[in-house]
Amino acid sequence: MRQFAPLHIISGYSFLKSGLTMKKIAKALESEDYFALGLSDDAVLYGVPEFVNILKAANKKYLIGMNVVIEETNLSLYAISEEGYHSLINISLAIQKQEFDLKYLSSNHTGVVAIVETNHGAFKDKFNENSENLQAFAKYLIDFSKIFNSDFYLGIEVTSKEEIDYAKKVREFANNFSYECIAFPRIKYLKKDDAIVMNIVTAIANNETIEEKEAVGQEYFYSVNNYAKIYTPQEMDNTIKLVERSTFDFALKRGEMLHYSKGDSNLELKELAYTALKQKGLDDKEEYVSRLNYELKVISDMGYSDYFLLVGDYVSYAKSHDILVGAGRGSAAGSLVSYLLNITEVDPLKYGLQFERFLNPYRKTMPDIDVDFMDTRRDEVIEYLRNKYGHDKVANIVAFQTIASRQSIRDIGRVYQIPERHVVLLTKLLTNPKYTLGQSYKYLEEFKKIVDSDDYFKQIISLAGKIEGLPRQSGLHAAGVILNNDPIEEAMPVSIDFNDNYISQYEGVYLEEQGFLKMDFLGLRNLTTVARCLDLIKLHHPDFTMKFEDIPYEEKEIFELISSLRTMGVFQLESSGMKRAIKILKPKEFNDVVALLALFRPGPMDSIKDYASRKNDNVPFRYVSDDLKDILKETYGIIVYQEQINQIATKMAGFSLGEADIFRRAVSKKDKAKIMASEKDFIEGAIKNGHSEKVAKDVFDHILRFANYGFNKSHSVVYSILACRMAWLKVHYPLEFYSSILETSASTSDTKFSDYVNEMKSLGIKILSPDINKSGKNFIVSDNALVFPLSSISGINDQMVSHILYEREENGPFKSYFNFAGRMYAYKLTETQLIKLVNSGALDVLYPSRASMRASAKSAIQFAELTHKEDGQLSIGIASMLEPAMNEEHDIPLDNLDLEFESIGILLSANPLTYKKDLLAANNVVSILDAKEQRNSTIAGILKNINIIHTKKGETMAFIKIVDE
């Protein structure tokens, strides 16, 4: 059988122009014995890494290409060498910069083969126009043939009977003018039945609707035999020859870590570390000197000195510019060098943290120093890197939004105008968002039932399955950044954003194998909250000079607050599940919090009760071996941390710490072969160290039981520091803490907001209604209370808030209702906005009756309009003496509260249940929020809404909305 390589595969990475996911391309390889495959997406190389991995897994060759349009001609350009790959990289960037033309192509085509689509674009148009004068048509191709010479092919595509004659004419032309033809069918979907996918993705892209559920098309994978019926033997052979000509190997490493030091980076790192060791007074302690020498040697031998210097530099920049940086993150906190360079704040020897968990000679993957920055200023640090090292040395990392199962149904619903209730019915039954539609049908019984109940639903899911998994658009990785020693566009395809900053065309998971070091700059909202809190404290307490790193985290009051469950707003400790864990564990010191964060995860959570009973009640327990006592003493015989597994392997089996970490990784995975090999090594090592086989086996089984549960202690320690520092701020400066947390972490529509308010009330801290003469853009501290901000009033935009604050600052407090309307009319205050302010309570300070102000709103705006047509200053002065007509009988308290709730999402001016205090007390009524944590509790509130529905069984069911204060 003749061999064939489909080269013109257009994947889903040509967004919404194809129905092919990489998984579907892999399926085509499974079902057909193609010699190789070629990828050619439109102007980008997004899909290359995934495509290459698929071909390698199938032990097949590949050709990497890209579709471009030049002079209205469709060309597909393929790299047949390393130089060709770089040419494609350059062309992709030139297209984005709108610099791509024939002149550019003529100087950037080394190592590239070009195939012109004869069935599309200018070629077909001009060929048909000049069918009687092919000599004239030949002139059109001269520019391309001059550039590529023998590396230029005419791509033959036959998709219908009518095109057979057209293809014949193209072949005759090629023969007469010495052009080489190649079989070149476009492939955009997997099977013949998938043709409709092109109509669907086009409709999604253009925001259109369609009616047809089926379509006819030929852009799918044929069998090799069927291709042989359409194309000539030479055309098919040319696909094989082209693949065999290619020497391009994607697996080469093209990235290189940025060189921070112009001199000897190893020496520079050593000098910085030893200077810091002396400054911290640790240079006379043998364990620190020995640990530092060991770390420096490993770092130097592995070639990572520049890496530490780079990270130390940008962390230093952030801290020197008041950009809050976390105490550390992940296993990097186990490094003494990280501590000495001020990358982390944790002395690893004090807490028994291991360097090998972060970096060791046995580790094949690159190190990973992730850093948390306050989320509002993270981008400033990345911009610092661009300015220091050059924009061409720094790139963000691409991330792709794919069409997941629920979204695929929503998209089909919109395209086919399916009733919303049917779309909601189907998507609500997809209770596990990680499942594909196929998995949901297999594992979710209710979903399967509805799909099987009617061909109508089955067709919806069938259509949704055709687009599920397709990339929809590109975006940015939340944190990842690349720093490269050479210009990045010379080593990897990049996209550019609106500021001409680079974005990698490859996702983070593929960068390391290309030699690029990914650094994670994570934005952490909690650090922004702390920064805001510190600013407020300094504003209200000028003698406060403490910096973030100076905030204590081991004071007794911290653990009293945590144990009292007043943890709303405290990093990692505010969820209801965590509160239940705190209630059991009763943390009394810092190490308890470290253990708590490590234990509060699926799996380890089962050990919380054992841990607590051993810690708090002195419940006796037994060590599997006496050799484990020193290692597991701090966690009461329970393996909580990954580092403990490493210590056990070192002490019992004689592993080095580096070998021990590789052992830990192996037993943590569910690979039976690796587990068996690890068990053999551990038991042999333990027997050599004088342990019996039985004890060695018991200890290994103990490790295996906890291996999946073990947590990175370094990470737990540094995150516990942030949690405890936030708790300290909350203990000592509660008003500033709550003000900052409400400003940065919750809106009134968020259920968390109610949780915060509930906790504040339990502490006697009040939130006052908005006040037009006091409130700002954010919560402010006033009279031992918090004043609600103007920016959180529904219908009052940020611009109007700024105008109110400016007017108040420039011309003093507002004196009356009409005075406010008159002064703010110049800033385009509307009647609707005026009423919103009235309803919120913000104007209560100007007049006692909200109903009267609402009734007078139109008059106030009309008066303001008149004053600004005549003598503005005089009339506004008169407005200060005007007041609305008092109409107190229309001030119905519950109506006012209803409108207040709509306006600010909370009731602040009054409690509608106050007049029922005795009844509430007699029935032990609790708030709605507290009822979430209690069984068999009684709540009271205002009935806002009843929604009665009928179930499938015909039973009546009601949803009731109740609101308390």
Side-chain angles (χ1 to χ4, degrees):
M1 184 177 72
R2 187 169 295 279
Q3 291 182 310
F4 180 63
L7 301 180
H8 201 199
I9 299 171
I10 299 165
S11 81
Y13 286 103
S14 297
F15 301 133
L16 300 179
K17 294 179 182 178
S18 166
L20 281 177
T21 62
M22 289 295 167
K23 286 183 179 178
K24 288 179 180 177
I25 293 175
K27 278 187 179 180
L29 268 180
E30 291 172 10
S31 59
E32 296 295 338
D33 188 25
Y34 298 124
F35 177 79
L37 295 181
L39 180 71
S40 55
D41 281 316
D42 293 350
V44 292
L45 298 166
Y46 287 145
V48 168
E50 196 177 353
F51 180 76
V52 169
N53 285 350
I54 285 170
L55 272 292
K56 279 190 171 182
N59 198 27
K60 298 284 186 179
K61 295 185 177 183
Y62 55 84
L63 204 60
I64 299 305
M66 188 170 66
N67 298 329
V68 302
V69 177
I70 186 166
E71 304 282 312
E72 299 182 355
T73 300
N74 295 13
L75 286 182
S76 295
L77 308 176
Y78 294 91
I80 57 169
S81 65
E82 181 67 15
E83 292 85 352
Y85 177 63
H86 288 280
S87 294
L88 294 187
I89 290 172
N90 294 339
I91 290 168
S92 179
L93 185 58
I95 290 170
Q96 294 173 72
K97 290 182 175 181
Q98 297 183 330
E99 296 173 352
F100 183 61
D101 53 21
L102 270 176
K103 183 179 179 183
Y104 186 92
L105 183 62
S106 66
S107 57
N108 286 276
H109 67 278
T110 305
V112 170
V113 166
I115 302 176
V116 63
E117 283 191 271
T118 61
N119 215 30
H120 299 89
F123 184 102
K124 187 169 186 178
D125 294 340
K126 291 180 183 294
F127 189 85
N128 287 332
E129 286 171 14
N130 296 279
S131 58
E132 302 301 323
N133 185 5
L134 292 180
Q135 191 74 40
F137 171 74
K139 292 180 181 178
Y140 151 73
L141 288 182
I142 286 176
D143 287 335
F144 299 117
S145 60
K146 278 184 178 178
I147 292 172
F148 293 100
N149 296 312
S150 61
D151 289 331
F152 182 64
Y153 293 82
L154 304 188
I156 303 295
E157 179 183 12
V158 179
T159 60
S160 66
K161 289 181 179 179
E162 292 76 17
E163 289 173 349
I164 292 175
D165 289 339
Y166 174 76
K168 186 178 179 181
K169 291 176 183 177
V170 172
R171 288 169 180 140
E172 288 173 357
F173 165 79
N175 186 52
N176 291 334
F177 289 89
S178 302
Y179 286 112
E180 194 78 28
C181 289
I182 191 168
F184 204 56
R186 270 190 186 187
I187 301 174
K188 291 188 174 182
Y189 43 92
L190 181 60
K191 307 186 302 288
K192 187 175 184 178
D193 294 344
D194 293 332
I196 190 62
V197 74
M198 295 311 301
N199 300 42
I200 295 171
V201 294
T202 301
I204 293 172
N206 298 330
N207 198 26
E208 297 170 344
T209 61
I210 55 178
E211 294 182 4
E212 63 274 17
K213 304 286 197 324
E214 295 180 356
V216 176
Q218 305 300 321
E219 296 178 330
Y220 59 93
F221 286 96
Y222 289 15
S223 69
V224 176
N225 282 339
N226 281 342
Y227 282 127
K229 294 174 185 176
I230 299 171
Y231 301 105
T232 68
Q234 182 65 42
E235 289 165 358
M236 291 186 70
D237 289 347
N238 278 344
T239 66
I240 307 303
K241 289 176 182 176
L242 189 53
V243 171
E244 289 182 328
R245 278 184 61 197
S246 175
T247 60
F248 171 66
D249 182 4
F250 183 69
L252 296 180
K253 290 191 181 297
R254 298 175 179 85
E256 182 184 4
M257 191 187 304
L258 183 64
H259 298 170
Y260 175 82
S261 176
K262 293 181 179 178
D264 186 332
S265 58
N266 297 326
L267 183 61
E268 185 172 348
L269 181 64
K270 183 177 181 179
E271 289 174 351
L272 284 173
Y274 268 97
T275 299
L277 194 73
K278 187 172 184 179
Q279 289 171 346
K280 292 179 183 294
L282 301 172
D283 57 321
D284 59 346
K285 297 184 177 180
E286 174 56 32
E287 67 268 34
Y288 282 88
V289 174
S290 175
R291 171 73 169 258
L292 179 56
N293 285 334
Y294 166 67
E295 287 194 19
L296 287 171
K297 184 176 188 310
V298 172
I299 292 167
S300 172
D301 289 349
M302 296 185 75
Y304 293 136
S305 293
D306 279 306
Y307 181 38
F308 278 84
L309 292 169
L310 282 166
V311 178
D313 177 65
Y314 62 68
V315 169
S316 175
Y317 169 83
K319 290 181 176 180
S320 65
H321 287 76
D322 297 322
I323 300 172
L324 252 59
V325 183
R329 184 184 176 95
S331 59
S335 165
L336 179 60
V337 173
S338 293
Y339 173 57
L340 295 174
L341 263 62
N342 208 22
I343 294 169
T344 63
E345 293 181 37
V346 177
D347 178 346
L349 278 75
K350 178 181 176 181
Y351 294 103
L353 308 181
Q354 294 171 7
F355 175 67
E356 290 78 8
R357 174 62 186 81
F358 167 62
L359 187 64
N360 68 72
Y362 299 92
R363 178 173 174 165
K364 294 178 181 178
T365 55
M366 289 187 173
D368 206 5
I369 305 180
D370 300 337
V371 183
D372 289 322
F373 299 96
M374 53 189 291
D375 62 346
T376 55
R377 300 187 64 189
R378 163 189 170 273
D379 290 343
E380 292 179 42
V381 185
I382 299 173
E383 193 58 28
Y384 162 73
L385 296 176
R386 290 193 180 103
N387 292 335
K388 179 165 184 173
Y389 303 113
H391 276 56
D392 59 349
K393 305 289 181 67
V394 183
N396 291 100
I397 298 171
V398 74
F400 298 107
Q401 178 194 337
T402 56
I403 301 174
S405 56
R406 286 178 181 169
Q407 187 59 48
S408 68
I409 295 174
R410 292 190 192 105
D411 281 334
I412 292 300
R414 188 191 61 74
V415 166
Y416 285 103
Q417 296 180 289
I418 293 166
E420 180 67 17
R421 65 184 184 279
H422 295 162
V423 172
V424 171
L425 174 65
L426 288 167
T427 55
K428 275 191 172 181
L429 293 174
L430 296 175
T431 51
N432 189 331
K434 293 183 179 179
Y435 283 173
T436 63
L437 290 172
Q439 289 170 327
S440 296
Y441 182 81
K442 184 176 180 180
Y443 299 118
L444 303 178
E445 187 61 31
E446 289 300 313
F447 180 72
K448 184 178 188 301
K449 278 182 184 177
I450 192 69
V451 173
D452 288 343
S453 70
D454 197 306
D455 285 344
Y456 167 75
F457 290 121
K458 194 171 287 185
Q459 188 175 54
I460 292 173
I461 299 306
S462 175
L463 291 168
K466 293 184 187 300
I467 61 171
E468 183 185 24
L470 285 174
R472 192 189 195 105
Q473 61 190 24
S474 65
L476 288 183
H477 184 283
V481 174
I482 305 165
L483 295 178
N484 200 53
N485 198 50
D486 297 314
I488 289 176
E489 79 274 12
E490 295 177 5
M492 176 177 56
V494 294
S495 303
I496 52 175
D497 65 14
F498 293 114
N499 297 313
D500 287 336
N501 295 322
Y502 285 162
I503 305 164
S504 73
Q505 285 192 15
Y506 299 154
E507 290 183 288
V509 68
Y510 301 112
L511 293 175
E512 187 173 323
E513 60 195 47
Q514 286 280 297
F516 295 97
L517 182 63
K518 178 174 76 75
M519 298 181 173
D520 279 341
F521 291 67
L522 294 120
L524 191 60
R525 183 184 295 175
N526 302 82
L527 289 172
T528 303
T529 300
V530 171
R532 178 63 180 154
C533 186
L534 291 173
D535 288 342
L536 289 174
I537 294 169
K538 290 169 186 174
L539 179 67
H540 303 140
H541 307 275
D543 56 336
F544 182 90
T545 57
M546 197 176 285
K547 293 183 177 179
F548 172 64
E549 52 265 34
D550 300 327
I551 300 173
Y553 56 87
E554 295 186 299
E555 282 193 355
K556 180 183 175 184
E557 295 93 336
I558 292 170
F559 310 108
E560 289 174 352
L561 178 133
I562 293 172
S563 294
S564 71
L565 305 182
R566 290 180 286 127
T567 55
M568 288 309 303
V570 177
F571 181 58
Q572 300 275 299
L573 301 180
E574 64 179 345
S575 72
S576 56
M578 178 58 88
K579 286 181 179 179
R580 287 193 291 272
I582 292 170
K583 203 171 182 178
I584 296 169
L585 199 141
K586 299 183 181 70
K588 293 182 175 63
E589 59 181 29
F590 180 70
N591 281 335
D592 290 343
V593 179
V594 176
L596 180 67
L597 294 195
L599 287 166
F600 187 68
R601 295 175 302 113
M605 210 177 287
D606 297 337
S607 299
I608 290 176
K609 286 184 179 178
D610 282 346
Y611 185 99
S613 61
R614 296 176 185 186
K615 179 182 84 77
N616 298 325
D617 305 324
N618 294 317
V619 171
F621 60 92
R622 186 180 67 83
Y623 292 100
V624 180
S625 165
D626 287 345
D627 277 359
L628 306 188
K629 280 184 179 179
D630 290 341
I631 298 169
L632 300 183
K633 182 180 178 182
E634 68 167 326
T635 53
Y636 307 95
I638 298 168
I639 296 177
V640 175
Y641 308 118
Q642 294 169 353
E643 288 85 344
Q644 290 172 317
I645 295 174
N646 291 0
Q647 288 173 299
I648 293 169
T650 301
K651 185 165 187 177
M652 288 199 67
F655 293 173
S656 69
L657 278 171
E659 292 169 329
D661 194 61
I662 299 302
F663 165 79
R664 175 194 62 77
R665 288 175 186 231
V667 296
S668 297
K669 293 176 179 173
K670 296 177 181 177
D671 187 320
K672 286 187 179 180
K674 287 184 178 179
I675 289 173
M676 288 175 66
S678 299
E679 180 179 20
K680 180 175 177 290
D681 291 343
F682 180 86
I683 291 174
E684 286 179 357
I687 291 171
K688 280 183 185 177
N689 272 13
H691 299 282
S692 71
E693 185 174 350
K694 182 183 183 308
V695 168
K697 183 77 169 66
D698 287 348
V699 172
F700 181 82
D701 289 344
H702 191 64
I703 290 172
L704 199 58
R705 179 186 164 198
F706 287 96
N708 288 324
Y709 291 176
F711 193 68
N712 179 345
K713 186 180 181 184
S714 295
H715 186 67
S716 198
V717 167
V718 287
Y719 266 25
S720 295
I721 288 175
L722 177 55
C724 290
R725 281 176 173 167
M726 291 189 80
W728 186 90
L729 290 171
K730 189 172 185 178
V731 168
H732 295 281
Y733 299 95
L735 288 170
E736 288 80 6
F737 179 86
Y738 282 113
S739 177
S740 60
I741 206 79
L742 290 173
E743 175 187 331
T744 60
S745 299
S747 67
T748 53
S749 60
D750 188 345
T751 54
K752 267 191 177 183
F753 185 88
S754 300
D755 291 333
Y756 293 138
V757 172
N758 205 41
E759 187 180 82
M760 290 166 65
K761 284 181 178 176
S762 71
L763 298 173
I765 297 173
K766 291 183 178 179
I767 295 185
L768 304 178
S769 297
D771 183 329
I772 204 68
N773 284 329
K774 278 187 181 179
S775 292
K777 284 188 175 182
N778 303 307
F779 284 89
I780 63 169
V781 177
S782 177
D783 299 327
N784 205 35
L786 298 184
V787 183
F788 197 87
L790 297 174
S791 57
S792 292
I793 299 172
S794 172
I796 307 301
N797 58 37
D798 288 344
Q799 187 176 34
M800 180 53 67
V801 173
S802 296
H803 291 328
I804 292 170
L805 298 181
Y806 174 79
E807 174 62 27
R808 197 172 75 194
E809 179 70 25
E810 288 294 305
N811 298 308
F814 300 105
K815 297 173 183 176
S816 72
Y817 182 59
F818 275 81
N819 174 258
F820 173 76
R823 287 166 61 179
M824 293 309 300
Y825 183 80
Y827 302 101
K828 296 184 172 54
L829 176 74
T830 66
E831 182 183 345
T832 301
Q833 289 174 322
L834 184 58
I835 291 173
K836 289 282 187 184
L837 289 165
V838 170
N839 292 342
S840 73
L843 304 185
D844 288 358
V845 67
L846 304 180
Y847 197 71
S849 168
R850 293 186 189 177
S852 300
M853 286 191 283
R854 280 193 292 270
S856 303
K858 187 179 286 294
S859 300
I861 295 296
Q862 287 173 343
F863 184 84
E865 186 178 10
L866 288 172
T867 62
H868 280 275
K869 285 180 179 176
E870 299 175 16
D871 186 347
Q873 291 300 316
L874 176 63
S875 299
I876 290 173
I878 294 171
S880 301
M881 296 180 282
L882 296 174
E883 290 186 345
M886 181 64 77
N887 200 358
E888 288 186 342
E889 64 270 18
H890 286 97
D891 268 308
I892 301 169
L894 287 181
D895 285 352
N896 279 341
L897 289 176
D898 220 12
L899 292 168
E900 180 177 318
F901 187 82
E902 287 179 14
S903 180
I904 60 176
I906 191 172
L907 300 178
L908 294 176
S909 62
N911 178 0
L913 304 176
T914 301
Y915 64 96
K916 294 288 186 182
K917 271 186 178 178
D918 294 341
L919 180 65
L920 302 185
N923 288 278
N924 295 316
V925 168
V926 299
S927 75
I928 294 173
L929 285 166
D930 288 337
K932 290 194 300 183
E933 302 299 322
Q934 302 177 26
R935 289 179 180 270
N936 303 319
S937 55
T938 304
I939 62 172
I942 299 171
L943 189 61
K944 295 285 289 181
N945 185 47
I946 300 178
N947 181 25
I948 299 173
I949 66 167
H950 298 285
T951 67
K952 291 179 182 177
K953 295 179 180 179
E955 297 170 339
T956 306
M957 184 176 181
F959 293 90
I960 302 174
K961 184 174 182 180
I962 300 175
V963 175
D964 63 9
E965 62 176 322

